[in-house]
Amino acid sequence: MGLPLHLLKSHGSLALPLSLTSWDTTRDKERFQLLFQENVNYGFRRKLWAMKPVGIAISILSLAALALVTQIEARADAVPWFANLTAIAIVALLLTWWLVRITPSWVKIVADAYALRLLASIDELEGAQAARRDLNGEKG
């Protein structure tokens, strides 16, 4: 498994040999809890960004269906049409959230945080390797 492309683009000359050999080491959830959490946050937002067109389409279709049902119930003097208006308001809020909140800049915030946390983890691994070399009397 290679490094994410955003790391290579953002930080040009990483210590690639160490980072590539240490990549799986940072998967330890206990030792690198913050890195794991940043990875979860990044993955969640990235997947929401990927689902944005589907979320918008479902919201629009739901609004249209609810509006139609509400209009039919209002003409028939059915009592529960007020619940449909509440559902329309909720779906409209969700549509607004999809349109306004889910943006590339919203994803980039956590992508940058994840990249920085990953770089900090590599620094921690370098320090651990240097300490191990010192204990073994090796030159690095």
Side-chain angles (χ1 to χ4, degrees):
M1 177 172 206
L3 285 173
L5 291 179
H6 70 272
L7 283 179
L8 294 175
K9 290 178 185 174
S10 299
H11 300 285
S13 61
L14 289 173
L16 288 179
L18 175 66
S19 61
L20 289 175
T21 58
S22 303
W23 181 254
D24 284 335
T25 308
T26 60
R27 293 183 182 268
D28 182 358
K29 293 178 189 175
E30 298 300 320
R31 184 173 174 197
F32 297 99
Q33 288 179 346
L34 293 176
L35 176 64
F36 174 74
Q37 190 59 44
E38 293 294 349
N39 188 21
V40 169
N41 292 338
Y42 172 58
F44 177 74
R45 289 192 186 192
R46 187 185 68 224
K47 288 174 182 152
L48 277 177
W49 171 248
M51 292 299 298
K52 183 176 181 174
V54 174
I56 290 171
I58 289 172
S59 296
I60 290 172
L61 290 173
S62 298
L63 278 175
L66 284 166
L68 180 64
V69 169
T70 302
Q71 185 178 24
I72 291 169
E73 287 182 355
R75 285 185 182 173
D77 289 328
V79 176
W81 65 271
F82 181 75
N84 292 348
L85 291 179
T86 304
I88 287 173
I90 291 170
V91 172
L93 283 173
L94 284 172
L95 178 60
T96 303
W97 179 75
W98 279 111
L99 292 171
V100 175
R101 186 66 174 153
I102 309 300
T103 62
S105 62
W106 185 67
V107 177
K108 188 177 183 319
I109 292 168
V110 293
D112 290 343
Y114 174 59
L116 290 174
R117 186 65 60 197
L118 184 60
L119 289 173
S121 299
I122 291 171
D123 290 343
E124 182 181 326
L125 290 171
E126 282 179 336
Q129 284 183 346
R132 206 172 306 120
R133 281 192 303 266
D134 288 345
L135 286 174
N136 293 335
E138 299 173 10
K139 293 183 179 180

